[in-house]
Amino acid sequence: MEDGLNVTIDPACLQKPPLAIDVIKQLDVFELCLYAMLTFMSCISLLLYLEQCVYIYKKLPYPKKTTLIWINGAAPVISTMACFGMWIPKAVMFTDMTSNCYFAVVVYKVLVLLVEELGGSEGFLKRFSGEPFRINTGPCCCCCLCLPRVPMSRRMLFWLKVGALQYAILKTVLSVLCIILWTNGNFDLSDLEITGAAIWINPFIGVLTLASLWPVAITFMNTNSHLRSLKIVPKYAMYQLVLVLSQLQTSIINILALDGTIACAPPFSSQARASMLNQQMMIMEMFIITLVTRFLYRRTYDPLPSEAHDEDQKTNVLVEHDV
């Protein structure tokens, strides 16, 4: 009784995620067909990725092939984990953390790819050493137009790599910590109390994420003009799209569940239903991204122009401006 009114809450809305057998039992014909189709899409994504791995392994030299295998695996791995989470709701925390840890490595690998496409660390430094790099890029300093340009050096390249690598390492460590706390009942995403572990760990992970995306954005914004022939812009766009869908979309849906916008539907509580909807959307989105990524990375591109060619272009531009 509250303010003279009887308030009744469906017990299912307060329950933990259902078991896989409970999910299967409550599926009607349409939902069974939907689950089967999404599972099929997830399997196709994984098979296409495995075939892509064989192609990359045979056609490309080391270490570039290792980098491309990691990057190409972002969408299929997320899709596969989402499929497991869709069928086994109790495992969602583990599947989401696996996907996030994998993508944390992909963030670093995108930076490595940009450097390797320009001749590796030595070739990159030979081409850009002393050249001023813009650092007022997203997601951290896109509005800070007054920031000075920083000349590229071996030390700066090192810190760019460290900035991206820290997320891959710390995200994995914090994920293991979250699982340990969860098994002891100390970690719950719905617990927003100041004494809860989630309210401290998740914002810290958000800061680490932004700190890792910034070095990648700096490198891309200052080198993408040299990599146009390799279709680096659509490749980077696919990486950004996976980031938005796997991080921002999931966060928005979880917030909607916590504030009651997404209603419970037995045997799913509000959070479990929101998670199920997110997994289903993720499978479809990652399937499309897998197809696009496969198309981008299987094409044969012209070799990059030499450093002398870049210098000639700069000279021509200066002459045109003088005239």
Side-chain angles (χ1 to χ4, degrees):
M1 175 99 43
E2 184 177 341
D3 296 332
L5 296 176
N6 290 324
V7 179
T8 58
I9 300 177
D10 191 336
C13 295
L14 304 175
Q15 292 175 357
K16 297 296 182 181
L19 298 172
I21 189 64
D22 296 328
V23 174
I24 296 174
K25 286 180 179 178
Q26 63 89 36
L27 293 178
D28 57 25
V29 175
F30 172 77
E31 292 173 332
L32 190 59
C33 292
L34 176 64
Y35 272 56
M37 182 186 70
L38 293 175
T39 303
F40 177 74
M41 293 171 69
S42 180
C43 291
I44 292 297
S45 297
L46 186 58
L47 290 175
L48 289 176
Y49 170 60
L50 294 176
E51 190 272 337
Q52 182 82 335
C53 288
V54 174
Y55 175 85
I56 292 173
Y57 188 81
K58 290 182 178 180
K59 298 292 184 179
L60 296 176
Y62 179 85
K64 185 177 178 180
K65 60 184 177 184
T66 305
T67 304
L68 290 180
I69 286 173
W70 270 99
I71 294 174
N72 276 265
V77 167
I78 294 174
S79 176
T80 303
M81 291 297 104
C83 185
F84 283 124
M86 179 182 68
W87 284 104
I88 311 173
K90 281 185 174 291
V92 163
M93 192 177 104
F94 298 94
T95 57
D96 284 352
M97 285 186 175
T98 302
S99 298
N100 292 335
C101 289
Y102 186 95
F103 189 76
V105 178
V106 170
V107 172
Y108 171 69
K109 289 296 183 179
V110 170
L111 174 60
V112 171
L113 176 65
L114 294 172
V115 174
E116 287 181 355
E117 293 287 18
L118 290 162
S121 296
E122 296 302 324
F124 183 90
L125 290 172
K126 184 179 179 182
R127 185 182 292 253
F128 295 107
S129 183
E131 184 172 326
F133 268 39
R134 283 179 51 202
I135 61 173
N136 57 331
T137 62
C140 295
C141 299
C142 54
C143 298
C144 303
L145 301 179
C146 59
L147 286 177
R149 298 198 174 200
V150 179
M152 174 52 63
S153 63
R154 189 175 297 274
R155 179 182 292 274
M156 182 181 177
L157 180 60
F158 170 76
W159 285 113
L160 288 174
K161 289 183 176 181
V162 169
L165 182 60
Q166 53 83 20
Y167 180 51
I169 297 173
L170 295 178
K171 172 61 180 175
T172 305
V173 172
L174 290 173
S175 294
V176 173
L177 175 62
C178 289
I179 292 174
I180 294 172
L181 293 175
W182 177 78
T183 57
N184 196 48
N186 301 114
F187 185 86
D188 185 358
L189 292 175
S190 62
D191 182 10
L192 302 181
E193 297 293 333
I194 195 68
T195 55
I199 199 67
W200 294 98
I201 294 177
N202 286 340
F204 182 60
I205 291 177
V207 173
L208 295 179
T209 305
L210 295 177
S212 68
L213 296 178
W214 191 30
V216 182
I218 290 173
T219 307
F220 173 77
M221 292 299 296
N222 289 277
T223 62
N224 71 83
S225 60
H226 301 272
L227 299 172
R228 297 280 181 177
S229 61
L230 300 181
K231 303 295 182 184
I232 198 64
V233 174
K235 290 177 180 177
Y236 189 79
M238 288 299 103
Y239 146 77
Q240 290 280 351
L241 187 57
V242 174
L243 169 68
V244 170
L245 294 175
S246 63
Q247 305 295 321
L248 186 59
Q249 175 181 281
T250 302
S251 299
I252 292 173
I253 292 177
N254 287 336
I255 291 171
L256 292 176
L258 287 174
D259 109 328
T261 304
I262 298 178
C264 68
F268 293 99
S269 63
S270 297
Q271 281 185 281
R273 184 163 176 255
S275 178
M276 178 195 66
L277 294 174
N278 182 56
Q279 309 301 327
Q280 293 175 347
M281 293 170 60
M282 201 77 70
I283 292 173
M284 292 185 286
E285 293 159 352
M286 294 303 142
F287 175 74
I288 296 173
I289 292 175
T290 299
L291 297 179
V292 176
T293 303
R294 173 185 166 83
F295 170 75
L296 289 173
Y297 284 92
R298 285 184 75 94
R299 296 181 61 187
T300 302
Y301 302 101
D302 296 330
L304 287 178
S306 63
E307 187 178 359
H309 181 269
D310 291 341
E311 293 296 331
D312 291 341
Q313 281 190 327
K314 291 180 182 178
T315 303
N316 292 336
V317 170
L318 290 175
V319 170
E320 289 177 1
H321 282 304
D322 291 340
V323 173

Coordinates of all heavy atoms in Angstrom, one line a residue, residues 213-280:
L213 N 40.3 6.0 -27.8 CA 39.8 6.4 -29.1 C 40.5 7.6 -29.6 O 40.6 7.8 -30.9 CB 38.3 6.6 -29.1 CG 37.4 5.4 -28.7 CD1 35.9 5.9 -28.6 CD2 37.5 4.3 -29.7
W214 N 41.0 8.5 -28.7 CA 41.6 9.7 -29.1 C 42.9 9.5 -29.9 O 43.0 10.1 -31.0 CB 41.9 10.6 -27.9 CG 42.3 12.0 -28.2 CD1 41.9 12.7 -29.3 CD2 43.1 12.8 -27.4 NE1 42.5 13.9 -29.2 CE2 43.3 14.0 -28.0 CE3 43.8 12.6 -26.2 CZ2 44.0 15.1 -27.5 CZ3 44.5 13.6 -25.6 CH2 44.7 14.9 -26.3
P215 N 43.8 8.6 -29.5 CA 45.0 8.4 -30.3 C 44.7 7.9 -31.7 O 45.4 8.2 -32.7 CB 45.9 7.4 -29.5 CG 45.3 7.5 -28.1 CD 43.9 7.9 -28.2
V216 N 43.7 7.0 -31.8 CA 43.4 6.4 -33.1 C 42.8 7.5 -34.0 O 43.2 7.6 -35.2 CB 42.3 5.3 -32.9 CG1 42.0 4.7 -34.3 CG2 42.9 4.2 -32.0
A217 N 42.0 8.4 -33.4 CA 41.4 9.5 -34.2 C 42.5 10.5 -34.7 O 42.5 10.9 -35.8 CB 40.4 10.2 -33.4
I218 N 43.5 10.7 -33.8 CA 44.6 11.6 -34.2 C 45.4 11.1 -35.3 O 45.6 11.7 -36.3 CB 45.5 11.8 -33.0 CG1 44.8 12.7 -31.9 CG2 46.8 12.5 -33.4 CD1 45.6 12.8 -30.6
T219 N 45.7 9.8 -35.3 CA 46.5 9.1 -36.3 C 45.7 9.1 -37.6 O 46.2 9.4 -38.7 CB 46.8 7.7 -35.9 OG1 47.5 7.7 -34.7 CG2 47.8 7.1 -36.9
F220 N 44.4 8.8 -37.5 CA 43.6 8.7 -38.8 C 43.4 10.1 -39.4 O 43.6 10.2 -40.6 CB 42.2 8.1 -38.4 CG 41.2 8.2 -39.6 CD1 41.3 7.3 -40.6 CD2 40.2 9.2 -39.6 CE1 40.5 7.3 -41.7 CE2 39.3 9.2 -40.7 CZ 39.5 8.3 -41.7
M221 N 43.1 11.1 -38.6 CA 42.8 12.4 -39.2 C 44.1 13.0 -39.9 O 44.0 13.8 -40.8 CB 42.4 13.4 -38.1 CG 41.0 13.1 -37.5 SD 39.7 13.1 -38.8 CE 39.7 14.9 -39.2
N222 N 45.3 12.6 -39.4 CA 46.5 13.2 -40.0 C 47.1 12.3 -41.1 O 48.0 12.8 -41.8 CB 47.5 13.4 -38.9 CG 47.2 14.5 -38.0 OD1 47.4 15.7 -38.2 ND2 46.6 14.2 -36.8
T223 N 46.6 11.1 -41.3 CA 47.2 10.2 -42.3 C 46.2 9.7 -43.3 O 46.6 9.1 -44.3 CB 47.8 9.0 -41.6 OG1 46.8 8.2 -40.9 CG2 48.9 9.4 -40.6
N224 N 44.9 10.0 -43.2 CA 43.9 9.4 -44.1 C 44.1 9.9 -45.5 O 43.8 9.1 -46.5 CB 42.5 9.6 -43.6 CG 42.1 11.1 -43.7 OD1 41.6 11.5 -44.8 ND2 42.2 11.8 -42.6
S225 N 44.6 11.1 -45.7 CA 44.8 11.6 -47.1 C 45.9 10.8 -47.8 O 45.8 10.7 -49.1 CB 45.2 13.0 -47.1 OG 46.4 13.2 -46.3
H226 N 46.8 10.1 -47.1 CA 47.8 9.3 -47.7 C 47.3 7.9 -48.0 O 48.0 7.1 -48.8 CB 49.0 9.2 -46.8 CG 49.7 10.5 -46.5 ND1 50.6 11.1 -47.3 CD2 49.4 11.4 -45.5 CE1 51.0 12.3 -46.8 NE2 50.3 12.5 -45.7
L227 N 46.2 7.5 -47.4 CA 45.7 6.1 -47.6 C 44.4 6.1 -48.3 O 43.6 5.1 -48.2 CB 45.5 5.6 -46.2 CG 46.7 5.5 -45.3 CD1 46.4 5.1 -43.9 CD2 47.7 4.5 -45.9
R228 N 44.0 7.1 -49.1 CA 42.8 7.1 -49.8 C 42.7 5.9 -50.8 O 41.6 5.4 -51.0 CB 42.6 8.4 -50.6 CG 42.6 9.7 -49.7 CD 41.2 9.9 -49.2 NE 41.1 11.1 -48.4 CZ 40.0 11.5 -47.8 NH1 38.9 10.9 -47.9 NH2 40.1 12.6 -47.1
S229 N 43.8 5.6 -51.4 CA 43.8 4.5 -52.4 C 43.5 3.2 -51.8 O 43.1 2.2 -52.5 CB 45.1 4.5 -53.2 OG 46.2 4.2 -52.3
L230 N 43.7 3.0 -50.5 CA 43.4 1.8 -49.8 C 42.0 1.8 -49.2 O 41.7 0.9 -48.4 CB 44.4 1.6 -48.6 CG 45.9 1.5 -49.0 CD1 46.8 1.3 -47.8 CD2 46.1 0.4 -50.0
K231 N 41.2 2.8 -49.6 CA 39.8 2.9 -49.0 C 39.8 2.9 -47.5 O 38.9 2.2 -46.9 CB 38.9 1.7 -49.6 CG 38.9 1.6 -51.1 CD 38.2 2.8 -51.7 CE 38.1 2.7 -53.2 NZ 37.5 3.9 -53.8
I232 N 40.7 3.7 -46.9 CA 40.8 3.7 -45.5 C 39.6 4.4 -44.8 O 39.2 4.0 -43.7 CB 42.1 4.4 -45.0 CG1 42.4 4.0 -43.6 CG2 42.0 5.9 -45.2 CD1 42.7 2.5 -43.3
V233 N 39.0 5.3 -45.5 CA 37.8 6.0 -45.0 C 36.6 5.1 -44.7 O 36.1 5.0 -43.6 CB 37.4 7.2 -45.8 CG1 36.1 7.9 -45.3 CG2 38.6 8.2 -45.9
P234 N 36.2 4.3 -45.7 CA 35.1 3.3 -45.4 C 35.5 2.3 -44.4 O 34.7 1.8 -43.6 CB 34.7 2.7 -46.7 CG 35.9 3.0 -47.6 CD 36.5 4.3 -47.1
K235 N 36.7 1.9 -44.4 CA 37.2 0.9 -43.4 C 37.1 1.5 -42.0 O 36.6 0.8 -41.0 CB 38.6 0.4 -43.7 CG 38.8 -0.4 -44.9 CD 40.3 -0.7 -45.1 CE 40.5 -1.6 -46.4 NZ 41.9 -1.8 -46.6
Y236 N 37.6 2.7 -41.8 CA 37.5 3.4 -40.5 C 36.0 3.6 -40.2 O 35.7 3.5 -39.0 CB 38.2 4.7 -40.6 CG 38.4 5.4 -39.3 CD1 39.4 5.0 -38.4 CD2 37.6 6.5 -38.9 CE1 39.6 5.6 -37.2 CE2 37.8 7.1 -37.7 CZ 38.8 6.7 -36.9 OH 39.0 7.3 -35.7
A237 N 35.2 3.9 -41.2 CA 33.8 4.1 -40.9 C 33.1 2.8 -40.3 O 32.3 2.9 -39.4 CB 33.0 4.6 -42.1
M238 N 33.5 1.7 -40.8 CA 33.0 0.4 -40.3 C 33.4 0.2 -38.9 O 32.6 -0.3 -38.0 CB 33.4 -0.8 -41.2 CG 32.8 -0.8 -42.6 SD 31.0 -1.0 -42.5 CE 30.4 0.6 -42.9
Y239 N 34.7 0.5 -38.6 CA 35.1 0.4 -37.2 C 34.4 1.3 -36.3 O 34.0 0.9 -35.2 CB 36.6 0.7 -37.2 CG 37.2 1.4 -36.0 CD1 37.4 0.7 -34.8 CD2 37.5 2.8 -36.0 CE1 37.9 1.3 -33.7 CE2 37.9 3.4 -34.9 CZ 38.1 2.7 -33.7 OH 38.6 3.3 -32.6
Q240 N 34.1 2.5 -36.7 CA 33.3 3.5 -35.9 C 31.9 3.0 -35.7 O 31.3 3.2 -34.7 CB 33.3 4.9 -36.6 CG 34.7 5.6 -36.6 CD 35.0 6.2 -35.3 OE1 34.1 6.3 -34.4 NE2 36.2 6.7 -35.1
L241 N 31.3 2.4 -36.8 CA 30.0 1.9 -36.7 C 29.8 0.8 -35.7 O 28.9 0.7 -34.9 CB 29.5 1.5 -38.1 CG 28.0 1.1 -38.2 CD1 27.1 2.2 -37.8 CD2 27.7 0.7 -39.6
V242 N 30.8 -0.1 -35.7 CA 30.8 -1.2 -34.7 C 30.9 -0.6 -33.3 O 30.3 -1.1 -32.4 CB 32.0 -2.2 -35.0 CG1 32.1 -3.2 -33.9 CG2 31.8 -2.9 -36.3
L243 N 31.8 0.4 -33.1 CA 31.9 1.0 -31.8 C 30.6 1.6 -31.4 O 30.2 1.4 -30.2 CB 33.0 2.1 -32.0 CG 33.1 3.1 -30.8 CD1 33.6 2.4 -29.5 CD2 33.9 4.3 -31.1
V244 N 29.9 2.4 -32.2 CA 28.6 3.0 -31.8 C 27.6 2.0 -31.5 O 26.9 2.1 -30.5 CB 28.1 3.9 -32.9 CG1 26.7 4.4 -32.7 CG2 29.1 5.1 -33.1
L245 N 27.5 0.9 -32.3 CA 26.4 -0.1 -32.1 C 26.7 -0.9 -30.9 O 25.8 -1.3 -30.1 CB 26.3 -0.9 -33.3 CG 25.8 -0.2 -34.6 CD1 25.8 -1.2 -35.8 CD2 24.4 0.3 -34.4
S246 N 27.9 -1.3 -30.7 CA 28.3 -2.2 -29.6 C 28.4 -1.5 -28.2 O 28.2 -2.1 -27.2 CB 29.6 -3.0 -29.8 OG 30.7 -2.0 -29.9
Q247 N 28.7 -0.2 -28.2 CA 28.8 0.5 -27.0 C 27.6 1.5 -26.7 O 26.9 1.3 -25.7 CB 30.1 1.3 -27.0 CG 31.4 0.5 -27.3 CD 31.7 -0.5 -26.2 OE1 31.5 -0.2 -25.1 NE2 32.1 -1.7 -26.6
L248 N 27.4 2.4 -27.6 CA 26.4 3.4 -27.4 C 25.0 2.8 -27.4 O 24.2 3.1 -26.5 CB 26.5 4.5 -28.4 CG 25.6 5.7 -28.2 CD1 25.9 6.4 -26.8 CD2 25.8 6.8 -29.3
Q249 N 24.7 2.0 -28.4 CA 23.4 1.4 -28.5 C 23.1 0.6 -27.3 O 22.0 0.7 -26.7 CB 23.3 0.5 -29.8 CG 22.0 -0.2 -29.9 CD 21.9 -1.1 -31.2 OE1 21.7 -0.6 -32.2 NE2 22.2 -2.4 -31.0
T250 N 24.0 -0.2 -26.9 CA 23.8 -1.1 -25.7 C 23.5 -0.2 -24.4 O 22.7 -0.5 -23.6 CB 25.0 -2.0 -25.5 OG1 25.2 -2.8 -26.6 CG2 24.8 -2.9 -24.2
S251 N 24.3 0.9 -24.3 CA 24.1 1.7 -23.1 C 22.7 2.4 -23.1 O 22.1 2.4 -22.1 CB 25.2 2.8 -23.1 OG 26.5 2.2 -23.0
I252 N 22.3 2.8 -24.3 CA 21.0 3.5 -24.4 C 19.9 2.5 -24.0 O 18.9 2.8 -23.2 CB 20.8 4.1 -25.8 CG1 21.7 5.2 -26.0 CG2 19.3 4.5 -26.0 CD1 21.7 5.8 -27.4
I253 N 19.9 1.3 -24.5 CA 18.9 0.3 -24.3 C 18.9 -0.1 -22.8 O 17.8 -0.3 -22.2 CB 19.1 -1.0 -25.1 CG1 18.8 -0.6 -26.6 CG2 18.2 -2.1 -24.7 CD1 19.1 -1.7 -27.6
N254 N 20.1 -0.2 -22.2 CA 20.2 -0.5 -20.7 C 19.6 0.6 -19.9 O 18.9 0.3 -18.9 CB 21.6 -0.8 -20.3 CG 22.1 -2.1 -20.8 OD1 21.4 -3.0 -21.1 ND2 23.5 -2.2 -21.0
I255 N 19.8 1.8 -20.3 CA 19.2 3.0 -19.6 C 17.7 3.0 -19.7 O 17.0 3.2 -18.7 CB 19.8 4.3 -20.1 CG1 21.3 4.4 -19.7 CG2 19.0 5.5 -19.5 CD1 22.0 5.6 -20.3
L256 N 17.2 2.7 -20.9 CA 15.7 2.6 -21.1 C 15.1 1.5 -20.2 O 14.0 1.6 -19.7 CB 15.4 2.4 -22.5 CG 15.7 3.5 -23.5 CD1 15.4 3.1 -24.9 CD2 14.9 4.7 -23.1
A257 N 15.8 0.4 -20.0 CA 15.3 -0.7 -19.2 C 15.3 -0.3 -17.7 O 14.4 -0.6 -17.0 CB 16.2 -1.9 -19.4
L258 N 16.4 0.4 -17.3 CA 16.5 0.8 -15.9 C 15.4 1.8 -15.5 O 15.0 1.8 -14.4 CB 17.9 1.4 -15.6 CG 19.1 0.4 -15.6 CD1 20.4 1.1 -15.4 CD2 18.9 -0.6 -14.4
D259 N 15.0 2.6 -16.5 CA 14.0 3.6 -16.1 C 12.6 3.2 -16.4 O 11.7 3.9 -16.2 CB 14.4 4.9 -16.8 CG 13.6 5.4 -17.9 OD1 13.1 4.7 -18.7 OD2 13.6 6.7 -18.0
G260 N 12.5 1.9 -16.8 CA 11.1 1.3 -17.0 C 10.5 1.5 -18.3 O 9.3 1.2 -18.5
T261 N 11.2 2.2 -19.3 CA 10.6 2.4 -20.6 C 10.4 1.1 -21.3 O 9.4 1.0 -22.0 CB 11.6 3.3 -21.4 OG1 11.8 4.5 -20.7 CG2 11.0 3.6 -22.8
I262 N 11.3 0.2 -21.2 CA 11.1 -1.2 -21.8 C 10.4 -2.0 -20.7 O 11.0 -2.3 -19.7 CB 12.4 -1.8 -22.2 CG1 13.1 -0.9 -23.3 CG2 12.2 -3.2 -22.7 CD1 14.4 -1.4 -23.8
A263 N 9.2 -2.4 -20.9 CA 8.4 -3.1 -19.9 C 8.8 -4.6 -19.9 O 9.4 -5.2 -20.9 CB 6.9 -3.1 -20.3
C264 N 8.6 -5.2 -18.8 CA 8.9 -6.7 -18.6 C 7.8 -7.5 -19.4 O 6.7 -7.0 -19.6 CB 8.9 -7.1 -17.2 SG 7.3 -7.0 -16.3
A265 N 8.2 -8.7 -19.8 CA 7.3 -9.6 -20.5 C 7.7 -11.0 -20.0 O 8.7 -11.6 -20.5 CB 7.4 -9.4 -22.0
P266 N 7.0 -11.6 -19.0 CA 7.4 -12.9 -18.5 C 7.7 -13.9 -19.6 O 6.9 -13.9 -20.6 CB 6.1 -13.2 -17.7 CG 5.5 -11.9 -17.3 CD 5.8 -11.0 -18.5
P267 N 8.7 -14.7 -19.4 CA 9.6 -14.8 -18.3 C 10.7 -13.8 -18.2 O 11.7 -14.0 -17.4 CB 10.2 -16.2 -18.4 CG 10.3 -16.4 -19.9 CD 9.1 -15.7 -20.5
F268 N 10.7 -12.8 -19.0 CA 11.8 -11.8 -19.1 C 11.4 -10.6 -18.2 O 10.4 -10.0 -18.3 CB 12.0 -11.3 -20.5 CG 12.6 -12.3 -21.4 CD1 11.7 -13.0 -22.3 CD2 13.9 -12.6 -21.4 CE1 12.2 -13.9 -23.2 CE2 14.4 -13.6 -22.3 CZ 13.6 -14.2 -23.2
S269 N 12.4 -10.2 -17.3 CA 12.3 -8.9 -16.6 C 12.6 -7.8 -17.6 O 12.9 -8.0 -18.7 CB 13.2 -8.9 -15.4 OG 14.6 -9.0 -15.9
S270 N 12.4 -6.6 -17.1 CA 12.7 -5.4 -18.0 C 14.1 -5.4 -18.5 O 14.4 -5.3 -19.7 CB 12.5 -4.1 -17.2 OG 11.1 -4.0 -16.8
Q271 N 15.1 -5.7 -17.6 CA 16.5 -5.7 -18.0 C 16.8 -6.9 -19.0 O 17.5 -6.8 -20.0 CB 17.4 -5.8 -16.8 CG 17.6 -4.4 -16.1 CD 18.6 -4.5 -15.0 OE1 18.3 -5.0 -13.9 NE2 19.8 -4.1 -15.3
A272 N 16.2 -8.1 -18.6 CA 16.4 -9.2 -19.5 C 15.8 -9.0 -20.9 O 16.4 -9.4 -21.9 CB 15.9 -10.5 -18.8
R273 N 14.6 -8.4 -20.9 CA 14.0 -8.2 -22.2 C 14.8 -7.2 -23.0 O 15.0 -7.3 -24.2 CB 12.6 -7.7 -22.0 CG 11.8 -7.5 -23.3 CD 10.3 -7.4 -23.0 NE 9.6 -7.2 -24.2 CZ 9.0 -6.0 -24.6 NH1 9.1 -5.0 -23.7 NH2 8.4 -5.8 -25.7
A274 N 15.3 -6.1 -22.4 CA 16.1 -5.1 -23.1 C 17.3 -5.8 -23.6 O 17.8 -5.5 -24.8 CB 16.4 -4.0 -22.1
S275 N 18.0 -6.6 -22.8 CA 19.2 -7.3 -23.3 C 18.9 -8.2 -24.5 O 19.6 -8.3 -25.4 CB 19.7 -8.1 -22.1 OG 20.9 -8.8 -22.5
M276 N 17.7 -8.9 -24.4 CA 17.3 -9.8 -25.5 C 17.2 -9.0 -26.8 O 17.6 -9.4 -27.9 CB 16.1 -10.6 -25.2 CG 15.6 -11.5 -26.3 SD 13.9 -12.0 -26.1 CE 13.0 -10.4 -26.2
L277 N 16.5 -7.8 -26.7 CA 16.2 -7.0 -27.9 C 17.6 -6.5 -28.4 O 17.8 -6.4 -29.6 CB 15.3 -5.8 -27.5 CG 13.9 -6.2 -27.1 CD1 13.2 -4.9 -26.6 CD2 13.1 -6.8 -28.3
N278 N 18.5 -6.1 -27.5 CA 19.8 -5.6 -28.0 C 20.6 -6.7 -28.7 O 21.2 -6.5 -29.7 CB 20.6 -5.1 -26.7 CG 21.9 -4.6 -27.1 OD1 22.0 -3.7 -28.0 ND2 23.0 -5.1 -26.5
Q279 N 20.5 -7.9 -28.2 CA 21.2 -9.0 -28.8 C 20.7 -9.3 -30.2 O 21.5 -9.5 -31.2 CB 21.1 -10.3 -28.0 CG 21.5 -10.2 -26.5 CD 22.9 -9.8 -26.3 OE1 23.8 -10.1 -27.0 NE2 23.1 -9.0 -25.2
Q280 N 19.4 -9.3 -30.3 CA 18.8 -9.5 -31.6 C 19.1 -8.4 -32.6 O 19.5 -8.7 -33.8 CB 17.2 -9.6 -31.5 CG 16.8 -10.9 -30.7 CD 15.3 -10.9 -30.5 OE1 14.6 -9.9 -30.7 NE2 14.8 -12.0 -30.0

